[in-house]
Amino acid sequence: MQIPLTLLPPTARRFDALTVGLNSMDFLAVVEPYPTRNSKQQLRAFAQLPGGQCATAAVGLARLGWRTEYIGRFGDDDFGRAGLDSLVNEGVDVSRVVRVADATSQFAIILVDRETGERTVLWDRHAGLAMTAADVSDAAVGDARVVLVDCHETVAVTSACHRARRAGARTVIDVERVRPGIQALLREVDVIIAAEHFPVELTGRRELGGALETLQR
């Protein structure tokens, strides 16, 4: 599907895309059958992989050949160093990433049901990783043709999207939950990529088509 948006020409900006939001170190455990309480079983597969919506999006865009920058917060620990290295190795610019002393980086344990593909995410995020509007400077949003955010830090990314649009960039959100401030954030977004349940949860309309219509308005 093609979205009818006009972008600034590549020569107009230093980066094609800036992504702002979560990063995580993910521990994926594939199970079958799905565990019950007070049980034990051998894992079918296991992997430790860097993740997080916006860090992952930055890597995907870089692999597609886009000049990409990522801004987010990492703890000053082994997870943070590994996460940053994974971005650098993919060609993502991390020069404006914030490193937080004495904080653990976000991590998640993800149980994946091999039969259905469904997953359960158990995560932890240090309070010091909370982003502020100051984490994303005017220079950063002015350097990008597209700014992509997630819905976790609504105040910080609402400010970033507002300033990005004023600077002529297009804004995109990967949204999965209704959080405080989400309405103000969505008003600053050109393209909404939503989890299937999000439109119904946001609008209160039970039928997805009607919820999407309301969301568009």
Side-chain angles (χ1 to χ4, degrees):
M1 184 182 71
Q2 293 187 345
I3 299 174
L5 287 179
T6 301
L7 301 182
L8 292 168
T11 55
R13 296 292 163 91
R14 180 183 171 197
F15 296 108
D16 296 305
L18 165 66
T19 72
V20 182
L22 292 182
N23 62 79
S24 175
M25 185 57 66
D26 294 342
F27 298 86
L28 282 77
V30 180
V31 295
E32 187 180 26
Y34 196 82
T36 59
R37 291 184 179 181
N38 198 31
S39 65
K40 294 182 179 181
Q41 65 172 273
Q42 184 175 0
L43 296 177
R44 301 295 182 174
F46 177 80
Q48 177 181 336
L49 298 170
Q53 289 99 309
C54 284
T56 300
V59 169
L61 291 169
R63 289 182 178 180
L64 290 171
W66 275 35
R67 300 162 301 158
T68 306
E69 179 179 16
Y70 168 75
I71 296 178
R73 288 195 172 201
F74 287 89
D76 188 20
D77 58 1
D78 289 343
F79 290 168
R81 286 184 283 274
L84 274 171
D85 286 346
S86 72
L87 292 168
V88 171
N89 291 339
E90 294 284 354
V92 176
D93 188 288
V94 296
S95 59
R96 287 184 272 226
V97 157
V98 178
R99 299 290 299 274
V100 183
D102 301 321
T104 55
S105 296
Q106 180 170 327
F107 67 92
I109 300 168
I110 304 172
L111 302 181
V112 182
D113 188 330
R114 189 168 76 168
E115 180 179 357
T116 66
E118 296 177 332
R119 85 282 191 269
T120 300
V121 181
L122 311 172
W123 59 273
D124 185 70
R125 182 172 172 83
H126 191 281
L129 300 180
M131 296 182 68
T132 70
D135 288 338
V136 187
S137 66
D138 289 344
V141 296
D143 274 347
R145 300 164 66 210
V146 176
V147 175
L148 184 148
V149 302
D150 58 39
C151 64
H152 192 81
E153 306 281 3
T154 53
V155 173
V157 298
T158 298
S159 173
C161 287
H162 176 73
R163 289 179 285 123
R165 291 175 103 184
R166 291 181 62 185
R170 293 297 190 176
T171 55
V172 182
I173 188 170
D174 174 2
V175 59
E176 61 178 354
R177 293 184 59 188
V178 175
R179 297 181 181 275
I182 195 68
Q183 296 278 8
L185 172 55
L186 294 180
R187 285 193 287 270
E188 301 293 345
V189 170
D190 296 308
V191 178
I192 300 172
I193 303 171
E196 183 177 1
H197 60 82
F198 176 78
V200 172
E201 182 182 351
L202 178 71
T203 65
R205 298 189 64 175
R206 295 184 179 181
E207 194 270 319
L208 181 58
L212 288 171
E213 181 183 6
T214 299
L215 179 58
Q216 184 179 32
R217 289 201 301 268

